[in-house]
Amino acid sequence: MKLENKKLAPDDLLTLHKAKQKMEQIGWAMQGLNKMGNVIESRIQLLPQKQRDRIQQITYKVLHTVVKSNLISMDKNAKTTPSNKLYKALVTSSGAIGGALGVTAFAVDLTLATKLMMRSIMDIARSEGEDLNSLDSQLACLQVFALGGKSKHDDHLDTGYYATRIAISSAVKGASGIAGKTLTSLLNTTGNPLLQLIAQVASRFSVQVSEKFVAQAIPIVGAAGGAAINLAFIDHFQNMAHAHFSIRRLERKYGEDQIRLAYEELSLTKI
């Protein structure tokens, strides 16, 4: 296995190392919320199952809606430096409004924030050489919402990078009738495997959404707190996107098996 690593150019090995650090050293998925961690943890434990199910339903609906709308409106061919700061500013503003209005505006804030985060993810994917016209790249953008779930509340989920990719891709592997189609066209079709994939992504994404919901339900949060929560949210998913698509770029260059072996062999503390 060590020989596999030596085949990677030094710059590529460094890229892979940084990607693994982002994926596996993120700690609690949104580190910016750590100061409120104990309060959030206790309140999540108190959420009734009905409320948790409702949050997952909202998450599923939001993902379905924003994926479809972004794929229609995004310029898939332009290749520019990703506008991370712009999207952070927009998502932070959404959080400020949502925080000021409290949980009553949660669904609206989540929809807008997720739409902007999805656009940022697509922006990053495009900058790493992804063809956003292809179904594979479109699915890879959706996968980002399931990555890096190192939350205190998701111990039941396998959050390893490649394990997560395999788990959320299994819904479409071997399915008939998807070759040559786009994610947009499949989302318009009932009874297709993409709906199952979105459900799997939503189940993981909703863990972090629950943390956001509980944090914004704390009376003292307000506009400033809502903005901070959303900033932590988009910062996390931008990090996941940069790591995910840089790994995919290396896979296109060296092959998925070789990069996976190199990824698993890498130490997080030294290269």
Side-chain angles (χ1 to χ4, degrees):
M1 289 187 181
K2 296 293 183 182
L3 293 176
E4 296 286 352
N5 284 0
K6 291 180 181 178
K7 295 180 181 178
L8 271 65
D11 287 349
D12 291 335
L13 190 59
L14 180 61
T15 295
L16 187 62
H17 184 258
K18 289 180 178 179
K20 183 167 184 176
Q21 285 182 319
K22 287 179 179 178
M23 284 291 179
E24 300 192 12
Q25 286 189 334
I26 196 69
W28 188 17
M30 293 161 286
Q31 292 183 18
L33 300 182
N34 270 344
K35 291 182 180 180
M36 295 187 290
N38 291 334
V39 177
I40 291 173
E41 183 175 9
S42 62
R43 293 198 177 202
I44 283 182
Q45 297 301 322
L46 295 176
L47 276 180
Q49 188 60 48
K50 184 177 181 180
Q51 184 68 67
R52 297 186 192 194
D53 292 342
R54 176 60 179 158
I55 290 173
Q56 185 161 336
Q57 290 171 4
I58 292 173
T59 305
Y60 175 89
K61 184 177 180 181
V62 165
L63 283 177
H64 188 281
T65 301
V66 303
V67 168
K68 184 176 179 181
S69 63
N70 278 331
L71 287 173
I72 292 172
S73 60
M74 187 85 170
D75 183 352
K76 302 179 184 62
N77 298 314
K79 290 185 179 180
T80 59
T81 302
S83 305
N84 288 354
K85 290 183 180 179
L86 172 61
Y87 286 114
K88 280 182 178 176
L90 293 172
V91 170
T92 300
S93 297
S94 171
I97 296 171
L101 296 176
V103 294
T104 56
F106 177 75
V108 175
D109 173 34
L110 180 63
T111 300
L112 179 56
T114 306
K115 178 179 175 64
L116 292 168
M117 287 191 293
M118 182 65 177
R119 290 189 75 85
S120 183
I121 288 167
M122 293 172 69
D123 199 24
I124 292 167
R126 190 174 53 189
S127 74
E128 289 285 353
E130 296 282 346
D131 177 9
L132 295 182
N133 291 296
S134 75
L135 178 61
D136 180 61
S137 291
Q138 292 169 6
L139 292 177
C141 290
L142 180 59
Q143 288 174 357
V144 172
F145 287 107
L147 296 175
K150 299 280 187 178
S151 165
K152 297 177 182 178
H153 315 295
D154 62 357
D155 292 339
H156 64 293
L157 295 175
D158 189 343
T159 57
Y161 173 60
Y162 277 100
T164 300
R165 280 180 58 176
I166 292 171
I168 61 181
S169 297
S170 61
V172 295
K173 282 188 176 179
S176 59
I178 67 171
K181 291 190 176 182
T182 65
L183 190 53
T184 304
S185 64
L186 286 168
L187 287 171
N188 289 324
T189 306
T190 58
N192 71 77
L194 266 301
L195 300 181
Q196 182 181 343
L197 182 142
I198 291 177
Q200 290 187 29
V201 172
S203 71
R204 292 169 183 262
F205 184 40
S206 65
V207 172
Q208 295 153 337
V209 170
S210 295
E211 292 168 349
K212 173 178 166 63
F213 174 83
V214 169
Q216 290 188 207
I218 298 172
I220 62 172
V221 165
I229 291 166
N230 274 23
L231 178 59
F233 232 53
I234 189 168
D235 183 67
H236 166 70
F237 287 111
Q238 284 180 345
N239 280 333
M240 293 301 98
H242 278 293
H244 181 45
F245 291 112
S246 64
I247 290 172
R248 282 174 55 89
R249 172 169 55 80
L250 293 177
E251 289 175 349
R252 291 193 293 274
K253 182 175 181 180
Y254 294 97
E256 183 176 338
D257 290 343
Q258 183 173 341
I259 295 302
R260 180 173 180 175
L261 285 173
Y263 181 96
E264 293 172 349
E265 283 289 303
L266 276 175
S267 165
L268 289 178
T269 56
K270 58 184 178 179
I271 189 168

